[in-house]
Amino acid sequence: MDNKFLKIRNDFPILNQKVNNEPLVYLDNAATSQKPQAVLDEMVRYYQNDNANTHRSVHTLGERATEEYEAARGKVQKFINAKESREVIFTKGTTDSLNLVAATYGEENVSAGDEIVVSYMEHHSNLIPWQQLALRKHATLKYIELTADGQLDMADAEQKITVKTKIVAIAHASNVLGVTNDIQKLAQMAHLHNAVIVADGAQAVPHQPVDVQNLDVDFYAFSGHKMLAPMGIGVLYGKSDLLKAMSPYQYGGEMIDFVEKYQSTWTDIPWKFEAGTQNVAGAIGLGKAIDYLTEIGMQNIAEYEKHLVEYALPKLLEIPGVTVYGPQNQINRNAVISFNLKNLHPHDLATALDMDGVAVRAGHHCAQPLMKYLNVVATARASFYIYNTVEDIDQLIYAIKDAKEFFKV
């Protein structure tokens, strides 16, 4: 398997460079992934040959652009196994997708006294929209606790999700703790009380097979840029009956049916949620990224990343002074490992690693309530993807030991 993935690395030209005179080791994939040459070429091809606005013009370029845009929607549908392509809305990214649900479904279905259930491991993108909705509606925001090793406490989830719950909003995979949550079980809990479940799939879709019908989620959000596609393109999946009942998120061109002087009607889903000129090149780039990932196979990717975590985790835990957050074994772990080095601020650690060519993230990872829950101000985070290798992990371990020696911690 290693040889196959070593060849994949050659498809990413940005990785063929030195940083601070050291070969670049890019381990910040939870923030954004790098793009293969095939996606870069597809973007250039579109702009050089087919660039036009969609769903407006009857000329050849307009028709080509529309066909490619809708073909990309079809690729997303197949990739996540949505029942129909109309359940796929193109957005700016995960944050935009989640805000859409809060501003439409949430605004129309949550009232004073209702409850919205989240967890302590949520990214701000899947917390602040619900926090603000609860404040506007005088609803209650409830947090599912975590177990001692950083996993979602499913027994507490069963207690927190009640007849008062209207929305359960949970990350499919944590961007800090490296755990994957049982969304299917949470969906059962939510539906038992006639609540909807919204899953933040930003850290799951790029790394494992996702089947929205099997998960039985009502809404599922993710970004293109974390899965080899350009920035500025994302997806909101929603069950068609829910989407049909929801009001538009934004108003303007191409989301209308008829516009009268004092009132208007809206077109069908998904287009009523796609007002204005869309990121056509981004959608086409996302479609190409899906082609690329599908050719490798999402199950192969999940197994390869598990292999990387199995290799990295014990080596990190062996370093005196290193604290790893989340489960201390690779079971149920995704490709994220957050850690700290005793008496050294994560920003200083990340800067020291960068001097050895290793790019990791340091900070609160847009998860400040989780940092408080863990009683830390920040962590360093190494996150892997398909082009990373065990040699990258060796370089990470070497750089941590180098920093430890330099700072004498």
Side-chain angles (χ1 to χ4, degrees), residues 60-332:
T60 300
L61 294 190
E63 290 182 352
R64 279 191 210 153
T66 300
E67 287 173 5
E68 291 185 52
Y69 182 71
E70 293 303 327
R73 195 189 310 276
K75 290 179 183 180
V76 174
Q77 175 207 349
K78 187 176 179 183
F79 191 63
I80 61 173
N81 195 32
K83 191 176 293 183
E84 51 184 314
S85 64
R86 297 189 309 160
E87 295 179 320
V88 174
I89 300 166
F90 284 125
T91 65
K92 291 187 292 185
T94 307
T95 302
D96 192 32
S97 297
L98 294 167
N99 273 277
L100 190 163
V101 180
T104 52
Y105 183 88
E107 198 69 34
E108 293 164 353
N109 292 279
V110 174
S111 303
D114 289 340
E115 296 176 350
I116 302 169
V117 177
V118 296
S119 84
Y120 279 100
M121 70 172 71
E122 300 313 314
H123 188 284
H124 293 166
S125 294
N126 196 35
L127 174 59
I128 300 174
W130 311 117
Q131 181 190 79
Q132 295 303 304
L133 176 66
L135 288 170
R136 288 197 302 274
K137 295 290 187 175
H138 303 287
T140 300
L141 192 64
K142 296 170 70 175
Y143 285 79
I144 300 172
E145 301 287 332
L146 308 182
T147 61
D149 64 351
Q151 300 194 59
L152 200 66
D153 186 335
M154 296 300 281
D156 189 57
E158 202 153 15
Q159 294 296 315
K160 294 283 171 58
I161 300 170
T162 72
V163 68
K164 291 185 176 181
T165 305
K166 294 296 181 186
I167 296 171
V168 177
I170 300 292
H172 193 175
S174 168
N175 72 322
V176 176
L177 297 170
V179 297
T180 299
N181 293 319
D182 189 344
I183 294 296
Q184 191 179 47
K185 179 67 175 173
L186 290 163
Q188 290 173 2
M189 293 180 191
H191 294 155
L192 182 66
H193 298 294
N194 295 317
V196 299
I197 182 164
V198 184
D200 171 1
Q203 300 295 338
V205 171
H207 303 285
Q208 63 189 67
V210 169
D211 183 330
V212 292
Q213 291 190 71
N214 187 49
L215 293 174
D216 199 19
V217 285
D218 298 291
F219 300 99
Y220 196 97
F222 59 97
S223 296
H225 72 94
K226 296 180 193 291
M227 52 182 290
L228 312 182
M231 292 183 176
I233 188 72
V235 168
L236 173 66
Y237 157 82
K239 288 180 177 174
S240 61
D241 57 336
L242 294 172
L243 294 178
K244 287 176 183 175
M246 288 157 49
S247 298
Y249 176 43
Q250 296 175 324
Y251 300 89
E254 291 306 309
M255 49 74 64
I256 54 90
D257 190 7
F258 294 102
V259 176
E260 304 292 345
K261 192 173 179 181
Y262 295 108
Q263 61 183 7
S264 301
T265 57
W266 321 125
T267 190
D268 200 0
I269 60 170
W271 304 285
K272 76 172 180 179
F273 295 106
E274 295 180 356
T277 294
Q278 296 299 297
N279 183 357
V280 181
I284 292 169
L286 174 58
K288 193 65 179 181
I290 287 173
D291 291 342
Y292 187 91
L293 291 170
T294 301
E295 188 172 340
I296 299 169
M298 293 309 297
Q299 190 58 45
N300 290 335
I301 291 170
E303 290 172 8
Y304 180 67
E305 292 180 355
K306 182 182 177 186
H307 160 67
L308 292 179
V309 172
E310 285 175 346
Y311 185 81
L313 196 56
K315 290 182 179 296
L316 277 165
L317 290 168
E318 283 174 6
I319 302 175
V322 166
T323 299
V324 172
Y325 301 94
Q328 302 296 294
N329 57 55
Q330 76 280 8
I331 298 171
N332 202 31

